[in-house]
Coordinates of all heavy atoms in Angstrom, one line a residue:
N6 N 0.6 3.1 -6.5 CA 0.2 1.7 -6.7 C -0.3 1.5 -8.1 O -1.2 2.2 -8.6 CB -0.9 1.4 -5.7 CG -1.4 0.0 -5.8 OD1 -1.6 -0.6 -6.9 ND2 -1.6 -0.7 -4.7
D8 N -1.3 -1.4 -9.6 CA -2.1 -2.6 -9.8 C -3.1 -2.5 -10.9 O -3.3 -3.4 -11.7 CB -2.9 -2.9 -8.6 CG -2.0 -3.4 -7.4 OD1 -0.8 -3.6 -7.5 OD2 -2.6 -3.6 -6.2
H9 N -3.8 -1.3 -10.9 CA -5.0 -1.3 -11.8 C -4.5 -1.0 -13.3 O -5.3 -1.1 -14.2 CB -6.0 -0.3 -11.3 CG -6.6 -0.8 -10.1 ND1 -7.1 -2.2 -10.0 CD2 -6.6 -0.4 -8.8 CE1 -7.5 -2.4 -8.8 NE2 -7.2 -1.4 -8.1
H42 N 0.5 -5.2 -5.5 CA -0.1 -6.2 -4.7 C -0.1 -7.5 -5.5 O -0.9 -7.5 -6.5 CB -1.5 -5.9 -4.2 CG -2.1 -6.9 -3.2 ND1 -3.2 -6.6 -2.6 CD2 -1.7 -8.1 -2.8 CE1 -3.6 -7.7 -1.9 NE2 -2.6 -8.5 -2.0
E69 N 2.9 -5.5 -1.7 CA 1.8 -5.9 -0.7 C 1.6 -7.3 -0.9 O 1.5 -7.8 -2.1 CB 0.5 -5.1 -1.1 CG 0.6 -3.6 -0.8 CD -0.7 -2.9 -1.2 OE1 -1.7 -3.7 -1.5 OE2 -0.8 -1.7 -1.2
T89 N 4.5 -5.0 2.5 CA 3.4 -4.6 3.3 C 2.5 -5.8 3.5 O 2.0 -6.3 2.5 CB 2.7 -3.4 2.8 OG1 3.5 -2.3 2.6 CG2 1.5 -3.0 3.7
V91 N -0.7 -7.6 4.1 CA -2.2 -7.2 4.1 C -3.1 -8.5 4.3 O -2.6 -9.5 3.9 CB -2.5 -6.5 2.8 CG1 -1.7 -5.3 2.6 CG2 -2.3 -7.5 1.5
T99 N -11.4 -5.5 -3.2 CA -10.2 -4.8 -2.9 C -9.9 -5.2 -1.4 O -10.8 -5.8 -0.8 CB -10.1 -3.3 -3.1 OG1 -8.9 -2.7 -2.8 CG2 -11.3 -2.5 -2.3
T100 N -8.7 -4.8 -0.8 CA -8.5 -5.2 0.5 C -9.5 -4.6 1.4 O -9.9 -3.4 1.4 CB -7.1 -4.6 0.9 OG1 -6.2 -4.9 -0.2 CG2 -6.6 -5.2 2.2
F130 N -0.4 -3.4 7.2 CA -1.5 -2.5 6.9 C -2.5 -2.8 8.0 O -3.0 -4.0 8.2 CB -2.0 -3.0 5.6 CG -3.2 -2.2 5.2 CD1 -3.3 -0.8 5.0 CD2 -4.4 -2.8 4.8 CE1 -4.3 -0.1 4.6 CE2 -5.6 -2.2 4.3 CZ -5.5 -0.8 4.2
E150 N 1.1 0.8 8.0 CA 0.3 1.6 7.0 C -1.1 1.7 7.6 O -1.7 0.7 7.7 CB 0.3 1.0 5.6 CG -0.5 1.8 4.6 CD -0.6 1.2 3.2 OE1 0.3 0.5 2.8 OE2 -1.6 1.5 2.6
G189 N -3.0 4.8 3.5 CA -3.5 4.5 2.2 C -4.7 3.7 2.2 O -5.2 3.2 3.2
H190 N -5.4 3.7 1.1 CA -6.6 3.0 0.7 C -7.7 4.1 0.5 O -8.1 4.8 1.4 CB -7.0 1.9 1.7 CG -7.8 0.8 0.9 ND1 -9.0 0.9 0.5 CD2 -7.2 -0.4 0.5 CE1 -9.4 -0.2 -0.1 NE2 -8.3 -0.9 -0.2
G191 N -8.3 4.1 -0.7 CA -9.5 4.9 -1.0 C -9.2 6.4 -1.1 O -10.1 7.2 -1.2
L192 N -7.9 6.8 -1.1 CA -7.6 8.2 -1.2 C -7.8 8.7 -2.6 O -7.5 8.0 -3.6 CB -6.2 8.5 -0.6 CG -6.0 8.2 0.8 CD1 -4.6 8.4 1.2 CD2 -7.0 9.1 1.7
S210 N 0.2 5.7 0.0 CA 0.2 4.7 -1.1 C -1.2 4.9 -1.8 O -2.2 4.7 -1.1 CB 0.3 3.3 -0.5 OG 0.0 2.4 -1.4
I211 N -1.2 5.3 -3.0 CA -2.4 5.6 -3.7 C -2.5 5.0 -5.1 O -1.4 5.1 -5.8 CB -2.7 7.1 -3.9 CG1 -2.5 7.8 -2.5 CG2 -4.0 7.5 -4.4 CD1 -2.7 9.4 -2.4
G212 N -3.5 4.3 -5.4 CA -3.6 3.6 -6.7 C -4.8 4.0 -7.6 O -4.6 4.6 -8.6
H213 N -5.9 3.5 -7.2 CA -7.2 3.6 -8.0 C -7.4 5.0 -8.6 O -7.7 5.0 -9.7 CB -8.4 2.9 -7.3 CG -9.5 2.8 -8.2 ND1 -10.5 3.7 -8.3 CD2 -9.8 1.8 -9.1 CE1 -11.4 3.4 -9.3 NE2 -11.0 2.2 -9.7
Ligands
PXP1 N1 -2.7 0.4 0.7 C1 -3.1 -0.9 0.6 C2 -2.6 -1.8 1.8 C3 -3.9 -1.6 -0.3 O1 -4.3 -2.7 -0.3 C4 -4.3 -0.6 -1.4 C5 -5.1 -1.2 -2.4 O2 -4.4 -2.2 -3.2 C6 -3.9 0.7 -1.4 C7 -3.2 1.2 -0.3 C8 -4.3 1.6 -2.4 O3 -5.6 1.8 -2.4 P1 -6.4 2.7 -3.5 O4 -6.2 1.8 -4.8 O5 -7.8 2.7 -3.1 O6 -5.7 4.0 -3.7

Side-chain angles (χ1 to χ4, degrees):
N6 180 316
D8 289 353
H9 296 304
H42 184 172
E69 288 178 11
T89 300
V91 299
T99 182
T100 313
F130 181 58
E150 182 182 331
H190 213 282
L192 295 174
S210 165
I211 308 182
H213 186 267

